[in-house]
Amino acid sequence: MSHAPAVPVLTIDGPSGSGKGTVSALVAERLGWRLLDSGALYRAVGYAAGAEGLDLSDVEAVTRCAQGTKIQFRAASGGETRVIVNGHDATDELRTETAGAAASAIASMPSVREALVALQLGFRRAPGLVADGRDMGTVIFPDAAHKVFLTASAAERAKRRYKQLKEKGLNVTLGGLQREIEARDSRDASRAVAPLKPAEDAVLVDTTGMGIDEVVAKVLAVAQS
Ligand code: C5P
């Protein structure tokens, strides 16, 4: 009996502001593959827990919330994806740095990560998947054929996030953002489970000073290698 070949996966991991989100979406579009924005799942759980008035350090309550939260991605006009959390369109709330910090806090809980595994694996469907996150190449899709780890200096990452959030009309300062990003990265990198680190077989791409087209071309080259 012959086995069907596994659906190909390209993992794109890295810290916030490395350009992962934008690059992953463009690469998925170019390849015609599905996209998994795993950060949105952690943001959605953090948001749902907050909306329920839960204490974000209460592991049991937050785990129950992660198990019970219904998260849907809906394609909107202009190629935009809306994130629906328990029936409510929470896309705008999820973009804030407050939501990022809440996500990072609950993402350090092993039982919360466990609750999101099956959902993430379910995204792997033909013709292929681009998986964007922190542990895509190390934990969720260790057998992925193509792995990229995107980085950029903290100053550059803060600048990019600043521009992104300003364009969305949010009131942020560059210095404040850089401090928040550094705090979040150090928590993500030092946690016991699924810490932010490149898979051994990942191709490292430092995007400092690189334009988006250049990064997309490099990542596509990895996917096609
Ligand atoms: O990528 P994004 O900034 O949306 O992720 C928000 C937070 O979710 C990260 O700071 C990280 O703590 C957590 N996360 C994670 N594992 C992933 C994706 C995100 O722990 N695969």
Side-chain angles (χ1 to χ4, degrees), residues 119-130:
L119 180 60
Q120 296 177 80
L121 295 178
F123 275 77
R124 187 174 193 169
R125 289 201 232 130
L129 174 69
V130 175

Side-chain angles (χ1 to χ4, degrees), residues 12-17 20-21 36-43 94 97 99-108 113 120 132-136 140 161 181 184-185 187-189 191 193-196:
I12 305 183
D13 291 304
S16 44
K20 267 180 318 131
L36 165 61
D37 172 5
S38 61
L41 305 180
Y42 291 94
R43 285 172 185 259
L94 296 188
E97 195 46 40
S104 169
I106 59 108
S108 66
R113 306 196 71 83
Q120 296 177 80
D132 159 0
R134 302 289 186 292
D135 63 340
M136 298 295 97
I140 305 294
R161 285 287 288 161
I181 283 179
R184 183 142 68 94
D185 287 349
R187 180 163 50 193
D188 289 348
R191 70 184 174 213
V193 281
L196 170 66

Side-chain angles (χ1 to χ4, degrees), residues 46-81:
Y47 168 80
E52 282 178 35
L54 302 181
D55 170 357
L56 289 190
S57 62
D58 182 338
V59 177
E60 249 178 61
V62 176
T63 302
R64 239 177 291 122
C65 176
Q67 289 162 343
T69 301
K70 189 165 179 217
I71 308 164
Q72 297 161 288
F73 293 94
R74 197 171 289 161
S77 58
E80 207 204 355
T81 302

Side-chain angles (χ1 to χ4, degrees):
M1 203 175 80
S2 69
H3 289 278
V7 173
V9 179
L10 163 65
T11 60
I12 305 183
D13 291 304
S16 44
S18 56
K20 267 180 318 131
T22 312
V23 169
S24 299
L26 289 170
V27 168
E29 195 186 303
R30 287 282 294 276
L31 294 170
W33 289 6
R34 291 161 61 90
L35 174 69
L36 165 61
D37 172 5
S38 61
L41 305 180
Y42 291 94
R43 285 172 185 259
V45 171
Y47 168 80
E52 282 178 35
L54 302 181
D55 170 357
L56 289 190
S57 62
D58 182 338
V59 177
E60 249 178 61
V62 176
T63 302
R64 239 177 291 122
C65 176
Q67 289 162 343
T69 301
K70 189 165 179 217
I71 308 164
Q72 297 161 288
F73 293 94
R74 197 171 289 161
S77 58
E80 207 204 355
T81 302
R82 309 292 299 179
V83 190
I84 318 296
V85 184
N86 291 328
H88 167 75
D89 185 334
T91 316
D92 298 332
E93 290 100 315
L94 296 188
R95 283 194 185 117
T96 63
E97 195 46 40
T98 309
S104 169
I106 59 108
S108 66
M109 301 170 178
S111 49
V112 166
R113 306 196 71 83
E114 187 56 42
L116 297 175
V117 170
L119 180 60
Q120 296 177 80
L121 295 178
F123 275 77
R124 187 174 193 169
R125 289 201 232 130
L129 174 69
V130 175
D132 159 0
R134 302 289 186 292
D135 63 340
M136 298 295 97
T138 50
V139 176
I140 305 294
F141 302 108
D143 67 327
H146 317 286
K147 300 182 185 180
V148 172
F149 193 86
L150 290 187
T151 56
S153 68
E156 170 124 356
R157 292 189 286 115
K159 238 187 287 166
R160 288 180 190 164
R161 285 287 288 161
Y162 178 78
K163 197 166 157 259
Q164 226 176 33
L165 294 175
K166 274 284 177 194
E167 275 165 9
K168 301 209 164 99
L170 292 164
N171 186 19
V172 286
T173 67
L174 186 57
L177 257 185
Q178 182 161 344
R179 278 190 297 281
E180 281 170 353
I181 283 179
E182 281 170 351
R184 183 142 68 94
D185 287 349
S186 96
R187 180 163 50 193
D188 289 348
S190 62
R191 70 184 174 213
V193 281
L196 170 66
K197 66 157 194 232
E200 272 172 26
D201 48 349
V203 176
L204 260 66
V205 179
D206 185 341
T207 69
T208 309
M210 267 166 85
I212 202 80
D213 294 345
E214 202 183 334
V215 182
V216 167
K218 270 207 183 233
V219 174
L220 278 171
V222 173
Q224 283 152 356
S225 64

